[in-house]
Amino acid sequence: MKAVVIRTFGSADGLEVADPTVPDPAPGQVRIATEAAGVGGVDALVRRGAFAGYGFREGHLLGSEVAGRVTAVGEGVDPSWRGRRVWAFTGLSGGYAEQAVAAVGDVLPLPDGLGAVDAVTLGGSGVVAHFALRHGRLAPGETVLVRGAAGSIGIAAVQLAARGGAGAVVVTTSSAGRGVRLRELGATHVLDRAGEGGGPDAPSGFDVVVDVVGGPQVPRFLDRLRPGGRFVALGVMAGPPPADFGMRLVAAFRKSLTFATFSSDTVPGPDRQAVRSAQFAEAARGELRTVVHEVLPLSEAAGAHRAMDAGEVFGRIVLTP
């Protein structure tokens, strides 16, 4: 079968198409004939070698979420899974392949009306956005900033915040064109990447910041939290914040600010699956929009990563065998 592996950590040039053996499902697993594989920011971090300290090595088969049809089941798995259309989390490995395996607890049937491409666009990112907003305790009427809103997590967070009754949904993005598209999804104000602009009515402070970017500008956004404000860090695509960023919280002690990281790994699996199932149903009914930047063949995975690295992606790139 065809699959994409990391030949060398670093740039997208280190990715190559290989021909590994078709995996057999272990006990508790299913095998899926992949129809679509999502390309996410965490894949880029793995590719760069950022997670090498956690055991990831060169030769790793990339990909964390797929959608397709179950072709085989492992020992202890209900045989009725065979032939079903599903979404699956593959555990940060094995998704960029014509055949993938996943634990049955990380597999979810797809509703009628939801295609494989849309499923991998929403499946991982929608759940992260949902629980990140809950982690930040966003309440109706409050102002939320989604930093890095053009990615699939940010796009989901914008829609969910707007539907949840946020008083203002502010976004940062890189261009006016992207700002127009984000307004169509529920954003009320559009700022540049530095958090500036947005017009005279743009909020000067935020109750909640949801940040998938990280990097050296984190302190700038901490400074704009209102009293009692909550900052939720979801990723570090631009690198870690400055080592002394916590001093901003100490300097603003009387504002009772909160900085939190969030990983969906801390949410029980059944809770993740319940939210994901509801979101899939909403997407099938057209109530929750998925935004696909481009669909590329598996052989062009390196090109997909180059586009991510260049900041050219709005939504999600999806690979198909």
Side-chain angles (χ1 to χ4, degrees), residues 84-103:
R84 300 181 76 177
R85 296 177 59 249
V86 299
W87 172 94
F89 173 66
T90 60
L92 302 186
S93 176
Y96 293 9
E98 292 178 320
Q99 301 277 340
V101 293

Side-chain angles (χ1 to χ4, degrees), residues 117-118 121 155 181 290-295 314-318:
V117 169
D118 288 325
T121 300
I155 286 170
R181 297 182 70 181
T290 59
V291 178
V292 179
H293 178 83
E294 191 172 14
V295 178
F314 186 91
R316 171 152 288 196
I317 296 180
V318 177

Side-chain angles (χ1 to χ4, degrees), residues 10 81 90 105 109-110 122 132 134 149-150 166 172 239 244 254 268 279 287 308:
W81 278 103
T90 60
L110 294 181
L122 178 62
R134 178 179 292 185
T172 66
D244 63 348
R254 296 179 65 188
Q279 290 182 343
E287 298 168 7
M308 279 201 303

Side-chain angles (χ1 to χ4, degrees), residues 25-30 74-77 102-105:
Q29 291 185 330
V30 301
E75 181 182 347
V77 177
V104 71

